[in-house]
Amino acid sequence: MFDFSIITNWIHEQLISFMPTGLAVFVECVAIGICIMLMYAVLAIIMIFMERKVCAAFQCRLGPMRVGPYGTIQVFADVFKMLIKEIITINHADKFLYNLAPYIVILASIMSFSCLPINKGLEVLDFNVGIFFMLAASSIGIVGILLAGWSSNNKYSLIGAMRSGAQMISYELSIGLSILTIVVLTDTLQLSEIVERQADGWFLFKGHIPAFIAFVIYLIAGNAEVNRGPFDLPEAESELTAGYHTEYSGMHFGLFYVAEFVNLFIIAGIAATIFLGGWMPLHIPGLDGFNQAMDYIPGFVWFFAKAFFIVWLLMWFKWTFPRLRIDQILTLEWKYLVPIGLVNLLLMVIIVVFKLHF
Amino acid sequence: MEKKRNYINGLLHGIGTLLTGMKVTGREFFTKKVTEQYPENRKTLVLSDRFRGMLTMPVDKEGRNKCIACGLCQMACPNDTIHIESETITDETSGKKKKVLVKYQYDLGSCMFCQLCVNACPHDAIRFSTEFENAVFDRNTLVKILNKTQSNH
C-alpha cells in the first residue's frame, strides 16, 4: 500500500531547509487549506452531477445531456450562474446573522470533511479522538441552519429551520450510537487507526450482525442528518417553499446547496471508513494472491469507490421513498432507531466480551 | 404482549414494504431509458400509429383517393377546418348524375385534432398521419389542399 506520508514528509523537509519551522508549518497549513477547499468544490460538482444522473436513471430518464458530452458541463454552467447572481439582503432581516449563517454551515461541513482519511498518510485532521471531533464538528451545522431560519424574517424559513433542528438533534443520537457500536469493536476513536484495524476484514464483516444493524441505522440516520429525502421536510418545497434557505440568493444559497451535497459525501465517507474499511483494500484471509492484486489498486480509489457507492445507496433511498411527516420522523427516531441502537450496542458489547467476532 | 407483537410486526412489515419500493426503483435504474432526444434522433424517431399529427388523404397506386365528397367530415368538424368543393357530373355511359370532389381544403391552423372527421368518413378516405413538424412562418401556408387529383369515383 502506498504511503502518502513519504511525499508529505519530503515536502516538509524541503520547506524547512530554507525557512524557519514555524513559517514552514504555516505555509503547509495554507496549502492544505487550499487543497481541501478545492477538493470540496470539485466533490460538490461531482456530487451534483451524480445526483442529477442517478435521479434521472431512477425515474427512467437520461438527465442532463445537452451541455457538453453527457451533460458534464451543465454543473459548471450552473455554478457559474450561481456565482454571478446578485446576493439580495432582505428588509427587516437580521443582517449580521443572515450573512453569517451560510458560513457556519460551510465551516462545519469543511471541518468534518477534513477528518476523512482518504489514503494512507493522507489524513488532514487525525488525532486520538478523531471520530468524536468529527461528530462534534458536523453538529455545528445545525446552528447555521437555525440562524438562517431565524434571521430571514420569514415564517416558512423559521418553520423549516425548527423542523431541521428537531430532526438533526434527534438523529445525531442514532449516528452516535451506531458509531459507538463500532468503537466498541475497535477500542479506538482515531480514524486512521480504525482503518488500520480493518486490514484483515472490514468491520461490516468482522462485527457481523450488530455491525450490519449499526450500518443500516447509520445510513438512515445519516440520511436524516443531511436533510435529504425521505427526510427532507425542513425544505419541503410543497409546504415551505424551500425551508430555511428560502430567502437566500446567489452564492449564499449556493453555499447551502454545496454544503448539503458535500455533507452527503461526508456521511458516506464516514460510513465507508468505519464500516467498509476506508482506503483499505478488500482482503480475504487465506487468499494471498487475491489480496496482493487488491493491494495494487491505490487507497484513495478504494475510498472514493466505497464512498460513492454509499452515496448511490442514499440516492436510491431518496428517489424511492416518499417524504415523512415531522411526527413520523420523530417516531422513527425515538421509538425505533434509538431503542434498536441501544440493544444493538449491548449486543456488540456481549459479542466483544465473549470474543464472538471474527 | 399484544402491543409488543404489533411493534415488531409493524417494524418488519415496514422494512418489507421499503424493500419492495427499492426493488421497483432498483429495477428501473437498469432498464432502458424512455427519453427521446428529439432533434438528434429525427431519423430513428418512431411515433405511435394513433398519434394525430396532420390530416392526410391517402391515395392508391393509381393516385386515386376514396373521397366521395359527401361532406360528412365538413359537417362533423367543430372548427370549420374542412371545406369541400364538389361538382355534379353526368356519367356518359350510364347517364347517371354523380357528385365528385374538386377541392378538399384543410386548415391545419384551426384544426384541434379531435379526429371527428376521420370517424365520420364512411369510406376511410382521410386519416391522421404522424407527421408533427408543422411549424411555419406564415399562417396561410397551413391551409392545405389534400386531394392531389380530382376524384374518379
Side-chain angles (χ1 to χ4, degrees):
Chain A
M1 209 74 241
F2 183 70
D3 193 347
F4 261 90
S5 57
I6 299 169
I7 297 179
T8 47
N9 283 338
W10 179 77
I11 293 172
H12 183 67
E13 273 158 27
Q14 291 295 308
L15 280 176
I16 50 175
S17 65
F18 64 92
M19 60 172 78
T21 318
L23 187 62
V25 170
F26 177 73
V27 169
E28 281 162 18
C29 284
V30 171
I32 288 168
I34 291 171
C35 284
I36 286 182
M37 301 281 238
L38 270 180
M39 222 172 95
Y40 193 86
V42 169
L43 264 180
I45 286 171
I46 294 173
M47 291 285 297
I48 292 170
F49 181 68
M50 183 180 169
E51 163 89 355
R52 289 177 177 172
K53 280 294 186 187
V54 170
C55 153
F58 277 125
Q59 296 171 348
C60 215
R61 300 184 283 119
L62 288 176
M65 287 297 275
R66 301 278 179 212
V67 192
Y70 292 94
T72 37
I73 313 295
Q74 180 74 56
V75 185
F76 292 95
D78 285 348
V79 168
F80 185 65
K81 179 205 77 172
M82 204 68 95
L83 281 169
I84 58 173
K85 270 173 92 171
E86 186 190 0
I87 295 178
I88 301 164
T89 35
I90 305 151
N91 288 342
H92 308 301
D94 189 330
K95 295 258 161 38
F96 176 66
L97 296 183
Y98 178 78
N99 290 326
L100 181 68
Y103 295 101
I104 290 183
V105 171
I106 210 96
L107 179 81
S109 177
I110 288 180
M111 244 154 72
S112 41
F113 179 62
S114 49
C115 288
L116 291 176
I118 290 163
N119 200 341
K120 192 183 177 113
L122 208 64
E123 310 100 344
V124 180
L125 291 179
D126 184 43
F127 47 101
N128 51 7
V129 288
I131 199 139
F132 186 63
F133 172 78
M134 172 133 74
L135 283 177
S138 63
S139 13
I140 296 174
I142 303 173
V143 179
I145 287 173
L146 283 176
L147 276 187
W150 179 257
S151 62
S152 341
N153 190 29
N154 176 331
K155 55 179 178 276
Y156 297 117
S157 296
L158 186 59
I159 293 170
M162 287 301 156
R163 282 182 178 187
S164 182
Q167 177 185 326
M168 286 168 92
I169 290 169
S170 308
Y171 277 85
E172 201 92 323
L173 212 62
S174 281
I175 288 192
L177 280 175
S178 54
I179 288 180
L180 212 55
T181 314
I182 295 302
V183 169
V184 168
L185 185 62
T186 46
D187 64 54
T188 177
L189 285 167
Q190 191 168 356
L191 278 163
S192 58
E193 193 67 19
I194 288 177
V195 176
E196 289 290 349
R197 301 263 169 104
Q198 302 184 62
D200 53 342
W202 302 347
F203 282 145
L204 192 61
F205 307 125
K206 275 171 106 176
H208 51 92
I209 300 167
F212 184 73
I213 296 172
F215 183 60
V216 173
I217 290 178
Y218 182 83
L219 284 186
I220 297 169
N223 214 3
E225 184 70 10
V226 291
N227 290 333
R228 279 173 57 84
F231 307 102
D232 60 345
L233 83 174
E235 44 196 287
E237 63 267 25
S238 47
E239 310 152 26
L240 301 174
T241 54
Y244 55 87
H245 55 61
T246 304
E247 300 290 0
Y248 284 89
S249 64
M251 209 48 217
H252 276 177
F253 165 73
L255 290 180
F256 280 120
Y257 195 61
V258 161
E260 185 194 317
F261 277 102
V262 182
N263 279 339
L264 176 65
F265 180 80
I266 292 166
I267 289 293
I270 301 172
T273 304
I274 63 175
F275 292 103
L276 301 180
W279 45 261
M280 201 51 92
L282 177 64
H283 284 165
I284 300 171
L287 292 174
D288 287 332
F290 177 77
N291 290 352
Q292 231 163 20
M294 287 290 125
D295 278 343
Y296 283 120
I297 302 173
F300 61 89
V301 174
W302 277 105
F303 174 75
F304 282 111
K306 287 168 189 173
F308 276 112
F309 171 71
I310 289 169
V311 167
W312 181 78
L313 268 186
L314 293 177
M315 284 179 180
W316 189 1
F317 294 160
K318 166 157 186 171
W319 296 106
T320 303
F321 304 140
R323 182 185 297 141
L324 275 74
R325 273 196 323 263
I326 182 73
D327 63 315
Q328 290 169 334
I329 278 186
L330 294 178
T331 306
L332 175 68
E333 166 65 11
W334 293 103
K335 288 190 180 165
Y336 290 91
L337 293 188
V338 168
I340 292 172
L342 285 169
V343 171
N344 191 39
L345 183 59
L346 194 66
L347 185 66
M348 185 54 112
V349 170
I350 291 168
I351 279 179
V352 169
V353 168
F354 292 102
K355 299 222 174 355
L356 297 172
H357 56 87
F358 297 118
Chain B
M1 201 62 216
E2 185 65 23
K3 239 183 174 177
K4 246 181 242 166
R5 201 179 297 134
N6 279 347
Y7 179 83
I8 292 175
N9 280 349
L11 184 67
L12 293 178
H13 177 70
I15 293 172
T17 51
L18 290 180
L19 288 179
T20 310
M22 285 180 70
K23 203 173 79 190
V24 172
T25 46
R27 207 184 296 130
E28 206 62 44
F29 188 79
F30 294 105
T31 50
K32 201 175 165 293
K33 306 295 171 250
V34 293
T35 309
E36 298 279 355
Q37 291 183 281
Y38 162 56
E40 289 91 344
N41 74 351
R42 239 182 186 152
K43 292 207 175 68
T44 55
L45 186 66
V46 180
L47 283 168
S48 158
D49 285 340
R50 295 174 62 182
F51 181 80
R52 300 169 200 165
M54 183 194 287
L55 194 65
T56 54
M57 187 174 271
V59 288
D60 59 13
K61 276 177 209 143
E62 287 100 59
R64 286 182 304 192
N65 57 52
K66 294 182 190 163
C67 185
I68 53 167
C70 61
L72 282 176
C73 49
Q74 185 178 348
M75 282 194 283
C77 184
N79 283 9
D80 278 349
T81 302
I82 300 167
H83 286 283
I84 294 175
E85 280 177 26
S86 60
E87 61 180 6
T88 314
I89 55 166
T90 317
D91 197 334
E92 279 163 15
T93 48
S94 59
K96 280 180 184 168
K97 280 187 176 170
K98 192 181 171 189
K99 209 176 178 188
V100 290
L101 181 67
V102 176
K103 191 169 131 193
Y104 193 103
Q105 185 184 310
Y106 164 66
D107 185 2
L108 185 60
S110 67
C111 179
M112 63 175 189
F113 311 101
C114 60
Q115 214 176 10
L116 288 177
C117 51
V118 175
N119 292 340
C121 184
H123 283 254
D124 287 337
I126 47 175
R127 64 179 181 84
F128 272 104
S129 72
T130 55
E131 190 193 331
F132 64 95
E133 289 169 330
N134 294 330
V136 286
F137 284 100
D138 186 7
R139 223 194 114 90
N140 293 328
T141 49
L142 289 174
V143 180
K144 295 176 194 303
I145 311 296
L146 291 192
N147 58 323
K148 298 285 180 298
T149 55
Q150 223 168 315
S151 177
N152 293 332
H153 278 285

